[in-house]
Amino acid sequence: IPGVVLDQWMYGISDAQHKRVDVHEFISGRLPGGMQRTIGFDAVCGITRSLLEQLAKVMDVLEPIAFHRDVSSHNVLVNFGCKRSDHNFDDPSFALIDFGLAVNSSTWSEDWNNSNLAGDPRYWTPAAWMAFAFGFSFVESHENQGHVRQYLSRMDHYSVGVLGIEILFALWDDVSKGPESCSAGLHEAKAAWCELWGSVVRLFQMFHIQGPLATREYLTASSETGGISLMVELLAKVRDRLQCAATECVNRAHAGLLRILADLIDEQGTCQWNSLAAMMNDMAAPQPSTAPQPSGQTCSGQDARVGESNKHRPLPSAKDVNETAAASNRRQTLGMPRVRGCPPGQQVLRIRSCSPPCLRLGSMNLPTSMTGSPRWASAHMQANQSYAPAAAVVAAAAAIAAGATAAAAAAAAA
């Protein structure tokens, strides 16, 4: 498959560097060899729109068969085809790879709370974090059943939405490209995203530096729901800011894109893969109010609630992530025995909780040997009926490559 791994193209760093890179530079800086903050807003919206449209076609065919569960910038290839000049990024081509953690979508509603957690934690839904910290029984009884619904049927929607926002704000040159008037509401949206993404990236790094047990203990240290509650509020803030930016007249051409991104990460989201492209084109921005807003006033009351984060345990700071893991190491055994049939890097983690999910985190090398009664995830996609048959996924992919419609591709896979 032609193309380069999307995260390497965007950031210019290796997998190992992602686990220890300075979070501020990763999110708000410009790492050497990467493409951060180098593209104007119209062009980066074009790239993001192409990503959503192309992945939606794949997901529309895949969904009747399987949920991918590991959509991330590391599992997407990007190819611009012809030689570019002066940062001309027209007509990018994207390819979704690595279906090794896919699950059978037809049985997922029965298997989900007896299954393993999987994928890159940076792209986990709030329900996945809740299950990791408190067990699936906590998710099942959560007062907001939208989180359960999202985990049951829209986890790929969420991951694609996070990836789209990541691309939008990582590549956008918000300083030197275009007049300031073209970014009305967008700086606020980016600030909200950076706050959320920075917290999630620090949790991701804590996984690798201190281990999953230390991360879980950090999240559960509060008497309520710890940093996960704040994470949910930060997500709501990002959605609110994207919706506000979509109402600005100067952003009318990209209002549909901004609204779709907000919908994809919403636990109450409604957009479907087969209508996503049309919705982006049809969602014209409503006429905004002519009354000027006082400086610092938000578009809704949501941001005021987010600001009350002193009620919750904060998500980890850089100091929390980089502190020594000696205490954690005393309780864990570094190095993991490879399970028979499990490809290198696709390891299985056992973890203690009241309803203990296991973790399969792609290429993550996680400490194990945790106490309690473990529930082992299958090491092998063909050894567990909840995993999508590889042949079906390959058949669907081949049908897509041949230009088949979604219905024809699904029939081919069946």
Side-chain angles (χ1 to χ4, degrees):
I1 301 175
V4 296
V5 178
L6 182 58
D7 64 352
Q8 293 178 1
W9 177 74
M10 284 198 298
Y11 303 112
I13 59 177
S14 67
D15 289 349
Q17 289 172 307
H18 274 273
K19 300 167 186 176
R20 294 184 177 272
V21 66
D22 179 83
V23 175
H24 177 75
E25 285 299 308
F26 179 72
I27 294 173
S28 303
R30 186 177 292 176
L31 298 171
M35 296 298 300
Q36 294 165 281
R37 300 174 62 198
T38 61
I39 306 176
F41 189 69
D42 287 340
V44 79
C45 282
I47 294 172
T48 308
R49 181 186 293 268
S50 293
L51 172 87
L52 297 185
E53 290 176 346
Q54 293 175 40
L55 290 192
K57 293 178 181 178
V58 175
M59 292 300 186
D60 188 38
V61 175
L62 181 66
E63 192 171 79
I65 307 164
F67 295 128
H68 188 281
R69 292 206 306 169
D70 197 14
V71 177
S72 68
S73 59
H74 189 68
N75 283 336
V76 172
L77 303 181
V78 60
N79 179 35
F80 290 94
C82 60
K83 185 178 179 181
R84 302 185 302 274
S85 61
D86 194 26
H87 288 177
N88 178 17
F89 300 104
D90 293 336
D91 300 323
S93 176
F94 295 94
L96 180 64
I97 61 174
D98 194 351
F99 291 78
L101 298 178
V103 291
N104 191 324
S105 57
S106 64
T107 60
W108 182 241
S109 61
E110 302 169 3
D111 300 334
W112 71 278
N113 57 356
N114 233 355
S115 68
N116 57 298
L117 294 169
D120 186 326
R122 292 172 294 184
Y123 302 85
W124 275 3
T125 65
W129 281 109
M130 293 175 193
F132 167 71
F134 303 102
F136 281 113
S137 60
F138 178 88
V139 181
E140 289 181 280
S141 61
H142 197 277
E143 62 181 0
N144 183 352
Q145 286 295 292
H147 293 307
V148 178
R149 170 181 171 266
Q150 189 177 55
Y151 193 74
L152 283 175
S153 62
R154 295 182 65 84
M155 64 177 122
D156 286 341
H157 291 78
Y158 179 86
S159 298
V160 169
V162 169
L163 178 58
I165 302 171
E166 178 188 5
I167 290 174
L168 184 70
F169 291 130
L171 299 181
W172 175 35
D173 183 354
D174 55 347
V175 177
S176 61
K177 299 284 185 180
E180 184 69 20
S181 61
C182 292
S183 59
L186 293 169
H187 286 296
E188 293 80 3
K190 180 175 181 178
W193 165 253
C194 289
E195 186 178 5
L196 169 67
W197 193 233
S199 297
V200 173
V201 170
R202 289 188 179 98
L203 282 173
F204 168 80
Q205 292 185 342
M206 182 178 282
F207 257 99
H208 290 282
I209 296 173
Q210 297 187 31
L213 181 58
T215 307
R216 182 171 182 261
E217 290 177 345
Y218 184 92
L219 289 172
T220 57
S222 169
S223 60
E224 297 183 13
T225 55
I228 298 174
S229 181
L230 178 59
M231 183 188 302
V232 170
E233 291 186 338
L234 291 176
L235 268 168
K237 182 177 180 180
V238 172
R239 295 196 303 267
D240 188 63
R241 293 291 178 85
L242 287 170
Q243 293 282 10
C244 287
T247 66
E248 298 288 347
C249 284
V250 292
N251 299 324
R252 182 179 294 273
H254 307 299
L257 171 64
L258 298 174
R259 289 196 175 95
I260 286 294
L261 289 171
D263 184 273
L264 287 170
I265 64 170
D266 192 343
E267 72 273 10
Q268 306 295 343
T270 59
C271 75
Q272 300 299 319
W273 298 123
N274 60 3
S275 59
L276 184 146
M279 290 176 68
M280 278 196 293
N281 294 325
D282 292 344
M283 283 181 168
Q287 195 68 26
S289 171
T290 56
Q293 297 223 359
S295 176
Q297 182 171 323
T298 61
C299 299
S300 75
Q302 183 67 46
D303 292 333
R305 293 193 298 274
V306 172
E308 299 174 3
S309 58
N310 59 322
K311 296 180 181 179
H312 307 284
R313 179 174 175 84
L315 290 169
S317 65
K319 180 180 179 182
D320 294 321
V321 174
N322 292 318
E323 68 183 6
T324 178
S328 178
N329 288 342
R330 284 195 295 270
R331 298 187 300 271
Q332 301 178 55
T333 301
L334 296 176
M336 175 187 296
R338 181 167 299 152
V339 180
R340 183 180 300 278
C342 187
Q346 292 188 350
Q347 305 291 6
V348 180
L349 169 73
R350 49 184 176 176
I351 186 167
R352 177 184 62 190
S353 78
C354 55
S355 178
C358 298
L359 298 176
R360 284 185 82 220
L361 302 176
S363 61
M364 295 180 70
N365 296 313
L366 299 177
T368 57
S369 191
M370 299 183 180
T371 59
S373 300
R375 177 180 299 151
W376 285 92
S378 171
H380 204 281
M381 132 177 172
Q382 291 148 343
N384 187 331
Q385 290 299 315
S386 68
Y387 286 92
V393 175
V394 171
I400 295 169
T405 63

